[in-house]
């Protein structure tokens, strides 16, 4: 039953952060908390309620998609950051 409470805590934390709207990145982190809470509940109900391991397979794919999303976001950040630095170097070379 502790997993259920942990999932409820993550869900309420995600809702609170999302509606606080401190920044766009914090809103994305809040959405990640919501996804984590959903996957925890999926594992909990698949193992302890229905005794069916299909929920764990679905959770694996959800985590896999999250990892791919994080890798793409990191690559975009690195690429745009390097483009920004190149633009600043071009401006400095013109002076």
């Amino acid at each position: 039953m502790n997993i259920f409470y942990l999932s409820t805590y993550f869900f309420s934390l995600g809702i609170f952060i999302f509606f606080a709207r401190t920044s766009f990145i914090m809103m994305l982190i809040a959405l990640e908390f919501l996804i984590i809470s959903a996957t925890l509940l999926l594992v909990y109900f698949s193992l302890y309620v229905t005794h069916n391991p299909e929920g764990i397979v679905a959770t694996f794919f959800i985590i896999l998609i999250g990892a791919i999303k994080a890798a793409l976001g990191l690559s975009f950040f690195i690429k745009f950051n390097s483009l920004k630095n190149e633009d600043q170097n071009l401006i400095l070379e013109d002076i």
Side-chain angles (χ1 to χ4, degrees):
M1 203 58 163
N2 291 335
I3 294 175
F4 182 74
Y5 293 131
L6 181 66
S7 176
T8 306
Y9 173 73
F10 278 146
F11 188 79
S12 60
L13 183 66
I15 291 292
F16 175 73
I17 293 172
F18 187 79
F19 287 120
R21 294 184 187 167
T22 55
S23 69
F24 182 69
I25 293 181
M26 289 303 290
M27 289 175 72
L28 291 177
I29 291 172
L31 289 175
E32 289 295 325
F33 275 123
L34 294 174
I35 292 171
I36 286 171
S37 69
T39 55
L40 277 174
L41 276 179
L42 187 62
V43 168
Y44 174 76
F45 283 117
S46 71
L47 287 180
Y48 297 114
V49 176
T50 62
H51 303 290
N52 195 353
E54 291 176 355
I56 295 175
V57 175
T59 302
F60 173 73
F61 285 116
I62 291 170
I63 292 172
L64 182 68
I65 289 170
I68 291 169
K69 182 178 63 170
L72 283 173
L74 181 63
S75 67
F76 288 150
F77 176 75
I78 290 171
K79 182 65 177 176
F80 289 133
N81 196 19
S82 67
L83 288 176
K84 186 176 79 171
N85 289 337
E86 287 176 6
D87 290 341
Q88 288 175 353
N89 291 338
L90 288 175
I91 292 171
L92 291 175
E93 288 175 0
D94 291 339
I95 297 175

